[in-house]
Amino acid sequence: MPRNLFQRMVFAFLTVVVTVHAYVFYSLYVINGNVLMQLTGTQSVLSAINCQGGVYMFGTYLPIWAVIIIELCIAFTLEMVMGSPCSFKLACRIFDPRKDHPMMFETAIICATVGLMCPAMSFIASFLYYPYYSGFSFITLMAIWLKLVCFNFPFAFFTQLFFIQPLIRKIFKFLFFKDIAKREQDQKMKDNNYHGEEESIETFVQI
C-alpha cells in the first residue's frame, strides 16, 4: 500500500493508465463495436473509427490517442482528489488496517474505489460523449449516465478486483521493494518488542 504522496501518485498513475486503456477498448469494441461497423459499413472497429474520422467526443471527432489522454488526465485527477482518499476512509469504517488481514482491507478499498469512481467517471463521460448535434436535454443526460453506469460497473468491479489491482500491486511492489522490505522489517521489530514486553510483564506478574 502507498505510504506517502509520491507513492500514492505513482499507484494512481499506474492504475489509471491500465484502466483507461481497458475502458476505451471495452467501450469502442465491446459496447459500440457492432454499431460502428454497421454505420460505416466496415469489417473492423478500427476501420470504422478511421472511416468516421475518429472517436466522437465534445461534439466532434478526435483520434483515439487524444481520447485516451483526455480520459487519463480526468481519471488521474479524480483518483487523487476523490477516489484514493475517500475509498481509504470508507474502508477504515469497516476494517482496521492494523488488525484485519491486509487482503480484506485492500479488497474493501477496491470495492469502495469502484463504487465512487465508476459513477463519477460515467457522469463525466455522459458530458464528453453526449450527442450535442441533436441538442441538449438534462433527461437524456441522466439516461446516458444510467446506461453507462449499468455497462461500466460490472466491468469495473470484476476487472479491478481480479485483474487490474493485482497487476498494479505487483508492479508497485517491484518498484518500491526496498521501501516495502524496510517497512516489513520495522514492523517485525515492533512486533518482537511488543511480544518481549508481554513476556516481561507475565514474568513480573508470576514473581
Side-chain angles (χ1 to χ4, degrees), residues 97-154:
R98 295 167 296 182
K99 298 179 181 179
D100 296 312
H101 195 281
M103 183 176 293
M104 297 297 296
F105 188 71
E106 290 176 4
T107 302
I109 290 179
I110 294 171
C111 294
T113 303
V114 172
L116 292 169
M117 290 292 291
C118 181
M121 284 299 296
S122 297
F123 185 70
I124 294 173
S126 302
F127 284 96
L128 297 180
Y129 300 105
Y130 187 90
Y132 293 103
Y133 50 80
S134 59
F136 181 82
S137 170
F138 180 76
I139 296 177
T140 303
L141 178 70
M142 292 295 101
I144 294 174
W145 179 38
L146 180 61
K147 175 185 175 181
L148 290 176
V149 170
C150 292
F151 274 123
N152 294 337
F153 190 85

Short mmCIF file of all heavy atoms in Angstrom, two decimals, residues 97-154:
data_model
loop_
_atom_site.label_atom_id
_atom_site.label_comp_id
_atom_site.label_asym_id
_atom_site.label_seq_id
_atom_site.Cartn_x
_atom_site.Cartn_y
_atom_site.Cartn_z
N PRO A 97 -6.89 -1.45 9.45
CA PRO A 97 -5.70 -1.95 8.76
C PRO A 97 -4.62 -2.47 9.69
O PRO A 97 -3.75 -3.24 9.26
CB PRO A 97 -5.21 -0.71 7.98
CG PRO A 97 -5.80 0.46 8.70
CD PRO A 97 -7.11 -0.02 9.24
N ARG A 98 -4.67 -2.10 10.96
CA ARG A 98 -3.67 -2.58 11.92
C ARG A 98 -4.02 -3.95 12.49
O ARG A 98 -3.14 -4.65 12.99
CB ARG A 98 -3.53 -1.58 13.07
CG ARG A 98 -2.99 -0.22 12.65
CD ARG A 98 -3.18 0.81 13.73
NE ARG A 98 -4.60 1.04 13.99
CZ ARG A 98 -5.07 1.92 14.86
NH1 ARG A 98 -4.22 2.65 15.58
NH2 ARG A 98 -6.37 2.08 15.03
N LYS A 99 -5.29 -4.34 12.38
CA LYS A 99 -5.72 -5.61 12.98
C LYS A 99 -6.21 -6.62 11.95
O LYS A 99 -5.94 -7.81 12.07
CB LYS A 99 -6.83 -5.35 14.00
CG LYS A 99 -6.41 -4.47 15.17
CD LYS A 99 -7.57 -4.24 16.12
CE LYS A 99 -7.16 -3.34 17.28
NZ LYS A 99 -8.32 -3.09 18.19
N ASP A 100 -6.95 -6.15 10.95
CA ASP A 100 -7.53 -7.06 9.97
C ASP A 100 -6.50 -7.49 8.93
O ASP A 100 -5.48 -6.83 8.72
CB ASP A 100 -8.73 -6.40 9.28
CG ASP A 100 -9.85 -6.12 10.26
OD1 ASP A 100 -10.21 -7.03 11.03
OD2 ASP A 100 -10.37 -4.98 10.27
N HIS A 101 -6.81 -8.58 8.26
CA HIS A 101 -5.90 -9.11 7.24
C HIS A 101 -5.76 -8.10 6.09
O HIS A 101 -6.76 -7.51 5.65
CB HIS A 101 -6.44 -10.44 6.70
CG HIS A 101 -5.42 -11.22 5.93
ND1 HIS A 101 -5.10 -10.94 4.62
CD2 HIS A 101 -4.64 -12.27 6.30
CE1 HIS A 101 -4.18 -11.78 4.20
NE2 HIS A 101 -3.88 -12.60 5.20
N PRO A 102 -4.54 -7.89 5.60
CA PRO A 102 -4.34 -6.90 4.52
C PRO A 102 -5.20 -7.16 3.29
O PRO A 102 -5.66 -6.20 2.65
CB PRO A 102 -2.84 -7.05 4.19
CG PRO A 102 -2.23 -7.58 5.44
CD PRO A 102 -3.27 -8.46 6.07
N MET A 103 -5.43 -8.43 2.96
CA MET A 103 -6.23 -8.73 1.78
C MET A 103 -7.67 -8.23 1.94
O MET A 103 -8.27 -7.71 0.99
CB MET A 103 -6.23 -10.23 1.49
CG MET A 103 -6.99 -10.62 0.23
SD MET A 103 -6.88 -12.37 -0.15
CE MET A 103 -5.14 -12.51 -0.56
N MET A 104 -8.21 -8.37 3.14
CA MET A 104 -9.57 -7.90 3.39
C MET A 104 -9.64 -6.38 3.27
O MET A 104 -10.58 -5.83 2.68
CB MET A 104 -10.03 -8.34 4.78
CG MET A 104 -10.12 -9.84 4.97
SD MET A 104 -11.37 -10.58 3.88
CE MET A 104 -12.85 -9.83 4.52
N PHE A 105 -8.63 -5.72 3.81
CA PHE A 105 -8.62 -4.26 3.77
C PHE A 105 -8.43 -3.76 2.34
O PHE A 105 -9.10 -2.81 1.91
CB PHE A 105 -7.51 -3.73 4.68
CG PHE A 105 -7.54 -2.24 4.84
CD1 PHE A 105 -8.55 -1.63 5.57
CD2 PHE A 105 -6.57 -1.44 4.26
CE1 PHE A 105 -8.59 -0.25 5.73
CE2 PHE A 105 -6.60 -0.07 4.41
CZ PHE A 105 -7.61 0.53 5.14
N GLU A 106 -7.53 -4.38 1.59
CA GLU A 106 -7.30 -3.98 0.20
C GLU A 106 -8.54 -4.23 -0.66
O GLU A 106 -8.87 -3.43 -1.53
CB GLU A 106 -6.10 -4.73 -0.37
CG GLU A 106 -4.77 -4.30 0.24
CD GLU A 106 -3.61 -5.12 -0.26
OE1 GLU A 106 -3.84 -5.97 -1.15
OE2 GLU A 106 -2.49 -4.92 0.22
N THR A 107 -9.22 -5.34 -0.41
CA THR A 107 -10.45 -5.63 -1.14
C THR A 107 -11.52 -4.58 -0.85
O THR A 107 -12.25 -4.15 -1.76
CB THR A 107 -10.98 -7.03 -0.78
OG1 THR A 107 -9.98 -8.00 -1.07
CG2 THR A 107 -12.24 -7.36 -1.56
N ALA A 108 -11.60 -4.16 0.40
CA ALA A 108 -12.56 -3.12 0.77
C ALA A 108 -12.24 -1.81 0.06
O ALA A 108 -13.14 -1.10 -0.40
CB ALA A 108 -12.57 -2.92 2.28
N ILE A 109 -10.96 -1.49 -0.05
CA ILE A 109 -10.55 -0.26 -0.75
C ILE A 109 -10.92 -0.34 -2.23
O ILE A 109 -11.42 0.63 -2.81
CB ILE A 109 -9.04 -0.02 -0.57
CG1 ILE A 109 -8.73 0.37 0.87
CG2 ILE A 109 -8.56 1.07 -1.53
CD1 ILE A 109 -7.26 0.60 1.14
N ILE A 110 -10.67 -1.49 -2.84
CA ILE A 110 -11.00 -1.66 -4.26
C ILE A 110 -12.50 -1.49 -4.48
O ILE A 110 -12.93 -0.79 -5.41
CB ILE A 110 -10.53 -3.05 -4.75
CG1 ILE A 110 -9.01 -3.13 -4.72
CG2 ILE A 110 -11.04 -3.31 -6.17
CD1 ILE A 110 -8.47 -4.53 -5.00
N CYS A 111 -13.30 -2.13 -3.65
CA CYS A 111 -14.76 -2.03 -3.79
C CYS A 111 -15.23 -0.59 -3.60
O CYS A 111 -16.10 -0.10 -4.34
CB CYS A 111 -15.45 -2.95 -2.79
SG CYS A 111 -15.17 -4.72 -3.08
N ALA A 112 -14.66 0.08 -2.61
CA ALA A 112 -15.04 1.48 -2.37
C ALA A 112 -14.62 2.37 -3.53
O ALA A 112 -15.36 3.28 -3.93
CB ALA A 112 -14.41 1.96 -1.06
N THR A 113 -13.44 2.10 -4.08
CA THR A 113 -12.97 2.90 -5.21
C THR A 113 -13.87 2.73 -6.42
O THR A 113 -14.23 3.71 -7.09
CB THR A 113 -11.52 2.50 -5.58
OG1 THR A 113 -10.67 2.67 -4.44
CG2 THR A 113 -11.00 3.36 -6.72
N VAL A 114 -14.25 1.50 -6.71
CA VAL A 114 -15.16 1.25 -7.83
C VAL A 114 -16.50 1.93 -7.59
O VAL A 114 -17.08 2.55 -8.49
CB VAL A 114 -15.35 -0.27 -8.05
CG1 VAL A 114 -16.45 -0.54 -9.07
CG2 VAL A 114 -14.05 -0.91 -8.49
N GLY A 115 -16.99 1.82 -6.36
CA GLY A 115 -18.28 2.44 -6.03
C GLY A 115 -18.28 3.95 -6.17
O GLY A 115 -19.32 4.55 -6.45
N LEU A 116 -17.12 4.57 -5.99
CA LEU A 116 -17.01 6.02 -6.13
C LEU A 116 -16.65 6.45 -7.56
O LEU A 116 -17.27 7.35 -8.13
CB LEU A 116 -15.95 6.55 -5.17
CG LEU A 116 -16.26 6.46 -3.68
CD1 LEU A 116 -15.01 6.79 -2.86
CD2 LEU A 116 -17.39 7.41 -3.30
N MET A 117 -15.64 5.79 -8.12
CA MET A 117 -15.09 6.23 -9.40
C MET A 117 -15.99 5.89 -10.58
O MET A 117 -16.09 6.67 -11.53
CB MET A 117 -13.71 5.61 -9.60
CG MET A 117 -12.64 6.16 -8.69
SD MET A 117 -12.22 7.88 -9.06
CE MET A 117 -11.42 7.70 -10.66
N CYS A 118 -16.64 4.74 -10.53
CA CYS A 118 -17.46 4.34 -11.68
C CYS A 118 -18.61 5.31 -11.94
O CYS A 118 -18.76 5.79 -13.07
CB CYS A 118 -17.98 2.91 -11.47
SG CYS A 118 -18.99 2.32 -12.85
N PRO A 119 -19.44 5.64 -10.95
CA PRO A 119 -20.50 6.63 -11.22
C PRO A 119 -19.94 8.01 -11.59
O PRO A 119 -20.51 8.70 -12.44
CB PRO A 119 -21.28 6.68 -9.90
CG PRO A 119 -20.97 5.41 -9.21
CD PRO A 119 -19.56 5.08 -9.59
N ALA A 120 -18.83 8.40 -10.94
CA ALA A 120 -18.27 9.72 -11.22
C ALA A 120 -17.72 9.81 -12.64
O ALA A 120 -18.01 10.77 -13.37
CB ALA A 120 -17.16 10.03 -10.21
N MET A 121 -16.94 8.82 -13.05
CA MET A 121 -16.38 8.82 -14.40
C MET A 121 -17.48 8.64 -15.45
O MET A 121 -17.41 9.23 -16.54
CB MET A 121 -15.34 7.72 -14.55
CG MET A 121 -14.00 8.04 -13.89
SD MET A 121 -13.19 9.51 -14.57
CE MET A 121 -12.89 8.98 -16.27
N SER A 122 -18.49 7.85 -15.12
CA SER A 122 -19.60 7.68 -16.06
C SER A 122 -20.37 8.99 -16.24
O SER A 122 -20.84 9.29 -17.34
CB SER A 122 -20.55 6.58 -15.55
OG SER A 122 -19.89 5.33 -15.51
N PHE A 123 -20.49 9.76 -15.16
CA PHE A 123 -21.18 11.05 -15.25
C PHE A 123 -20.39 12.02 -16.13
O PHE A 123 -20.96 12.74 -16.95
CB PHE A 123 -21.37 11.63 -13.85
CG PHE A 123 -22.18 12.89 -13.83
CD1 PHE A 123 -23.54 12.86 -14.09
CD2 PHE A 123 -21.59 14.11 -13.54
CE1 PHE A 123 -24.30 14.02 -14.08
CE2 PHE A 123 -22.34 15.27 -13.53
CZ PHE A 123 -23.69 15.23 -13.79
N ILE A 124 -19.08 12.03 -15.94
CA ILE A 124 -18.23 12.88 -16.78
C ILE A 124 -18.30 12.43 -18.23
O ILE A 124 -18.38 13.24 -19.16
CB ILE A 124 -16.78 12.88 -16.27
CG1 ILE A 124 -16.72 13.53 -14.88
CG2 ILE A 124 -15.86 13.60 -17.24
CD1 ILE A 124 -15.36 13.43 -14.22
N ALA A 125 -18.28 11.11 -18.44
CA ALA A 125 -18.37 10.57 -19.80
C ALA A 125 -19.70 10.93 -20.45
O ALA A 125 -19.78 11.06 -21.68
CB ALA A 125 -18.19 9.05 -19.77
N SER A 126 -20.74 11.09 -19.64
CA SER A 126 -22.05 11.48 -20.19
C SER A 126 -21.97 12.84 -20.88
O SER A 126 -22.62 13.07 -21.90
CB SER A 126 -23.10 11.52 -19.08
OG SER A 126 -23.22 10.28 -18.44
N PHE A 127 -21.16 13.73 -20.32
CA PHE A 127 -20.94 15.03 -20.95
C PHE A 127 -19.99 14.92 -22.15
O PHE A 127 -20.20 15.56 -23.18
CB PHE A 127 -20.36 16.02 -19.93
CG PHE A 127 -21.36 16.55 -18.95
CD1 PHE A 127 -21.49 15.96 -17.71
CD2 PHE A 127 -22.18 17.62 -19.27
CE1 PHE A 127 -22.42 16.44 -16.79
CE2 PHE A 127 -23.11 18.10 -18.37
CZ PHE A 127 -23.24 17.51 -17.12
N LEU A 128 -18.95 14.11 -21.99
CA LEU A 128 -17.95 14.00 -23.05
C LEU A 128 -18.53 13.41 -24.33
O LEU A 128 -18.23 13.86 -25.44
CB LEU A 128 -16.77 13.14 -22.59
CG LEU A 128 -15.96 13.66 -21.40
CD1 LEU A 128 -14.84 12.68 -21.06
CD2 LEU A 128 -15.38 15.04 -21.69
N TYR A 129 -19.37 12.39 -24.17
CA TYR A 129 -19.89 11.66 -25.34
C TYR A 129 -21.35 11.98 -25.64
O TYR A 129 -22.00 11.26 -26.39
CB TYR A 129 -19.73 10.15 -25.11
CG TYR A 129 -18.29 9.73 -24.92
CD1 TYR A 129 -17.81 9.41 -23.66
CD2 TYR A 129 -17.41 9.68 -25.99
CE1 TYR A 129 -16.49 9.03 -23.47
CE2 TYR A 129 -16.09 9.30 -25.82
CZ TYR A 129 -15.64 8.98 -24.56
OH TYR A 129 -14.33 8.62 -24.37
N TYR A 130 -21.84 13.04 -25.05
CA TYR A 130 -23.25 13.41 -25.29
C TYR A 130 -23.44 13.81 -26.76
O TYR A 130 -22.61 14.53 -27.33
CB TYR A 130 -23.64 14.58 -24.38
CG TYR A 130 -25.12 14.91 -24.43
CD1 TYR A 130 -26.01 14.31 -23.56
CD2 TYR A 130 -25.61 15.83 -25.37
CE1 TYR A 130 -27.36 14.61 -23.61
CE2 TYR A 130 -26.96 16.13 -25.43
CZ TYR A 130 -27.83 15.51 -24.54
OH TYR A 130 -29.17 15.80 -24.61
N PRO A 131 -24.55 13.37 -27.38
CA PRO A 131 -24.80 13.73 -28.79
C PRO A 131 -25.29 15.18 -28.92
O PRO A 131 -26.48 15.44 -29.10
CB PRO A 131 -25.89 12.73 -29.21
CG PRO A 131 -26.61 12.40 -27.94
CD PRO A 131 -25.56 12.43 -26.86
N TYR A 132 -24.36 16.11 -28.85
CA TYR A 132 -24.72 17.52 -28.87
C TYR A 132 -25.32 17.96 -30.21
O TYR A 132 -25.97 19.00 -30.29
CB TYR A 132 -23.49 18.38 -28.57
CG TYR A 132 -22.99 18.23 -27.15
CD1 TYR A 132 -21.86 17.45 -26.89
CD2 TYR A 132 -23.64 18.84 -26.10
CE1 TYR A 132 -21.40 17.30 -25.58
CE2 TYR A 132 -23.18 18.70 -24.79
CZ TYR A 132 -22.06 17.93 -24.54
OH TYR A 132 -21.61 17.77 -23.26
N TYR A 133 -25.10 17.17 -31.26
CA TYR A 133 -25.63 17.54 -32.57
C TYR A 133 -27.16 17.51 -32.60
O TYR A 133 -27.79 18.09 -33.49
CB TYR A 133 -25.08 16.60 -33.65
CG TYR A 133 -25.21 15.13 -33.34
CD1 TYR A 133 -26.40 14.45 -33.53
CD2 TYR A 133 -24.12 14.42 -32.84
CE1 TYR A 133 -26.52 13.11 -33.22
CE2 TYR A 133 -24.22 13.07 -32.54
CZ TYR A 133 -25.43 12.42 -32.73
OH TYR A 133 -25.53 11.08 -32.42
N SER A 134 -27.78 16.83 -31.64
CA SER A 134 -29.25 16.77 -31.59
C SER A 134 -29.82 17.64 -30.49
O SER A 134 -30.97 17.48 -30.09
CB SER A 134 -29.70 15.32 -31.38
OG SER A 134 -29.17 14.79 -30.17
N GLY A 135 -29.01 18.58 -29.98
CA GLY A 135 -29.47 19.43 -28.89
C GLY A 135 -29.11 18.84 -27.53
O GLY A 135 -28.54 17.75 -27.44
N PHE A 136 -29.45 19.57 -26.48
CA PHE A 136 -29.11 19.11 -25.13
C PHE A 136 -30.37 18.98 -24.29
O PHE A 136 -31.23 19.85 -24.30
CB PHE A 136 -28.14 20.08 -24.46
CG PHE A 136 -27.72 19.64 -23.08
CD1 PHE A 136 -26.71 18.71 -22.91
CD2 PHE A 136 -28.36 20.14 -21.95
CE1 PHE A 136 -26.33 18.29 -21.64
CE2 PHE A 136 -27.99 19.74 -20.68
CZ PHE A 136 -26.97 18.80 -20.53
N SER A 137 -30.45 17.86 -23.56
CA SER A 137 -31.57 17.62 -22.66
C SER A 137 -31.03 16.99 -21.38
O SER A 137 -30.25 16.03 -21.43
CB SER A 137 -32.60 16.68 -23.30
OG SER A 137 -33.57 16.27 -22.35
N PHE A 138 -31.44 17.53 -20.24
CA PHE A 138 -30.97 17.00 -18.96
C PHE A 138 -31.46 15.57 -18.75
O PHE A 138 -30.73 14.73 -18.21
CB PHE A 138 -31.47 17.90 -17.82
CG PHE A 138 -31.04 17.43 -16.46
CD1 PHE A 138 -29.74 17.64 -16.02
CD2 PHE A 138 -31.93 16.78 -15.63
CE1 PHE A 138 -29.34 17.20 -14.77
CE2 PHE A 138 -31.54 16.35 -14.38
CZ PHE A 138 -30.25 16.55 -13.95
N ILE A 139 -32.67 15.29 -19.19
CA ILE A 139 -33.21 13.93 -19.04
C ILE A 139 -32.39 12.94 -19.87
O ILE A 139 -32.07 11.83 -19.42
CB ILE A 139 -34.69 13.89 -19.46
CG1 ILE A 139 -35.52 14.77 -18.53
CG2 ILE A 139 -35.22 12.46 -19.45
CD1 ILE A 139 -36.98 14.87 -18.90
N THR A 140 -32.03 13.35 -21.08
CA THR A 140 -31.19 12.50 -21.92
C THR A 140 -29.83 12.28 -21.28
O THR A 140 -29.28 11.17 -21.31
CB THR A 140 -31.02 13.13 -23.31
OG1 THR A 140 -32.30 13.35 -23.90
CG2 THR A 140 -30.19 12.23 -24.21
N LEU A 141 -29.30 13.33 -20.68
CA LEU A 141 -28.00 13.21 -19.99
C LEU A 141 -28.08 12.19 -18.86
O LEU A 141 -27.19 11.35 -18.71
CB LEU A 141 -27.59 14.57 -19.45
CG LEU A 141 -26.27 14.60 -18.66
CD1 LEU A 141 -25.09 14.39 -19.60
CD2 LEU A 141 -26.13 15.92 -17.91
N MET A 142 -29.14 12.26 -18.05
CA MET A 142 -29.31 11.32 -16.96
C MET A 142 -29.50 9.89 -17.47
O MET A 142 -29.01 8.93 -16.87
CB MET A 142 -30.51 11.72 -16.09
CG MET A 142 -30.32 13.01 -15.31
SD MET A 142 -29.01 12.91 -14.05
CE MET A 142 -27.67 13.74 -14.90
N ALA A 143 -30.20 9.76 -18.58
CA ALA A 143 -30.41 8.44 -19.17
C ALA A 143 -29.09 7.85 -19.66
O ALA A 143 -28.81 6.66 -19.47
CB ALA A 143 -31.42 8.53 -20.31
N ILE A 144 -28.27 8.69 -20.28
CA ILE A 144 -26.96 8.24 -20.74
C ILE A 144 -26.09 7.85 -19.56
O ILE A 144 -25.37 6.83 -19.59
CB ILE A 144 -26.28 9.34 -21.59
CG1 ILE A 144 -27.05 9.57 -22.88
CG2 ILE A 144 -24.83 8.97 -21.89
CD1 ILE A 144 -26.54 10.75 -23.70
N TRP A 145 -26.15 8.65 -18.50
CA TRP A 145 -25.36 8.35 -17.30
C TRP A 145 -25.77 7.00 -16.71
O TRP A 145 -24.91 6.16 -16.38
CB TRP A 145 -25.55 9.46 -16.27
CG TRP A 145 -24.81 9.24 -14.98
CD1 TRP A 145 -23.56 8.70 -14.85
CD2 TRP A 145 -25.26 9.54 -13.66
NE1 TRP A 145 -23.19 8.65 -13.52
CE2 TRP A 145 -24.22 9.16 -12.77
CE3 TRP A 145 -26.43 10.10 -13.15
CZ2 TRP A 145 -24.33 9.32 -11.39
CZ3 TRP A 145 -26.53 10.27 -11.78
CH2 TRP A 145 -25.49 9.88 -10.92
N LEU A 146 -27.06 6.76 -16.57
CA LEU A 146 -27.55 5.50 -16.03
C LEU A 146 -27.13 4.32 -16.91
O LEU A 146 -26.71 3.27 -16.41
CB LEU A 146 -29.07 5.54 -15.88
CG LEU A 146 -29.74 4.27 -15.33
CD1 LEU A 146 -29.22 3.98 -13.92
CD2 LEU A 146 -31.25 4.43 -15.32
N LYS A 147 -27.21 4.52 -18.21
CA LYS A 147 -26.80 3.48 -19.14
C LYS A 147 -25.32 3.16 -19.00
O LYS A 147 -24.92 1.98 -18.95
CB LYS A 147 -27.10 3.92 -20.58
CG LYS A 147 -26.60 2.96 -21.64
CD LYS A 147 -26.83 3.53 -23.03
CE LYS A 147 -26.22 2.62 -24.10
NZ LYS A 147 -26.41 3.19 -25.46
N LEU A 148 -24.50 4.20 -18.89
CA LEU A 148 -23.06 3.99 -18.75
C LEU A 148 -22.71 3.30 -17.44
O LEU A 148 -21.83 2.43 -17.40
CB LEU A 148 -22.33 5.33 -18.84
CG LEU A 148 -22.30 6.00 -20.22
CD1 LEU A 148 -21.62 7.36 -20.14
CD2 LEU A 148 -21.58 5.11 -21.23
N VAL A 149 -23.41 3.67 -16.36
CA VAL A 149 -23.16 3.02 -15.07
C VAL A 149 -23.50 1.53 -15.15
O VAL A 149 -22.76 0.68 -14.65
CB VAL A 149 -23.96 3.70 -13.95
CG1 VAL A 149 -23.89 2.89 -12.66
CG2 VAL A 149 -23.43 5.11 -13.70
N CYS A 150 -24.62 1.22 -15.79
CA CYS A 150 -25.03 -0.18 -15.92
C CYS A 150 -24.03 -0.98 -16.75
O CYS A 150 -23.76 -2.16 -16.46
CB CYS A 150 -26.42 -0.27 -16.55
SG CYS A 150 -27.75 0.36 -15.50
N PHE A 151 -23.47 -0.36 -17.77
CA PHE A 151 -22.46 -1.03 -18.59
C PHE A 151 -21.12 -1.13 -17.87
O PHE A 151 -20.44 -2.16 -17.91
CB PHE A 151 -22.26 -0.28 -19.92
CG PHE A 151 -23.23 -0.68 -20.99
CD1 PHE A 151 -24.04 0.28 -21.60
CD2 PHE A 151 -23.34 -1.99 -21.41
CE1 PHE A 151 -24.94 -0.07 -22.59
CE2 PHE A 151 -24.24 -2.35 -22.40
CZ PHE A 151 -25.04 -1.39 -22.99
N ASN A 152 -20.73 -0.04 -17.22
CA ASN A 152 -19.37 0.06 -16.70
C ASN A 152 -19.16 -0.58 -15.34
O ASN A 152 -18.06 -1.07 -15.05
CB ASN A 152 -18.95 1.54 -16.62
CG ASN A 152 -18.84 2.19 -17.98
OD1 ASN A 152 -18.64 1.52 -18.98
ND2 ASN A 152 -18.97 3.51 -18.01
N PHE A 153 -20.19 -0.56 -14.49
CA PHE A 153 -19.97 -1.03 -13.12
C PHE A 153 -19.56 -2.50 -13.05
O PHE A 153 -18.59 -2.82 -12.34
CB PHE A 153 -21.22 -0.79 -12.27
CG PHE A 153 -20.98 -1.02 -10.80
CD1 PHE A 153 -20.45 -0.01 -10.01
CD2 PHE A 153 -21.25 -2.25 -10.22
CE1 PHE A 153 -20.20 -0.23 -8.66
CE2 PHE A 153 -21.01 -2.47 -8.88
CZ PHE A 153 -20.49 -1.46 -8.09
N PRO A 154 -20.26 -3.42 -13.71
CA PRO A 154 -19.79 -4.82 -13.65
C PRO A 154 -18.38 -4.99 -14.20
O PRO A 154 -17.57 -5.73 -13.62
CB PRO A 154 -20.83 -5.57 -14.50
CG PRO A 154 -22.02 -4.68 -14.54
CD PRO A 154 -21.48 -3.29 -14.51
#
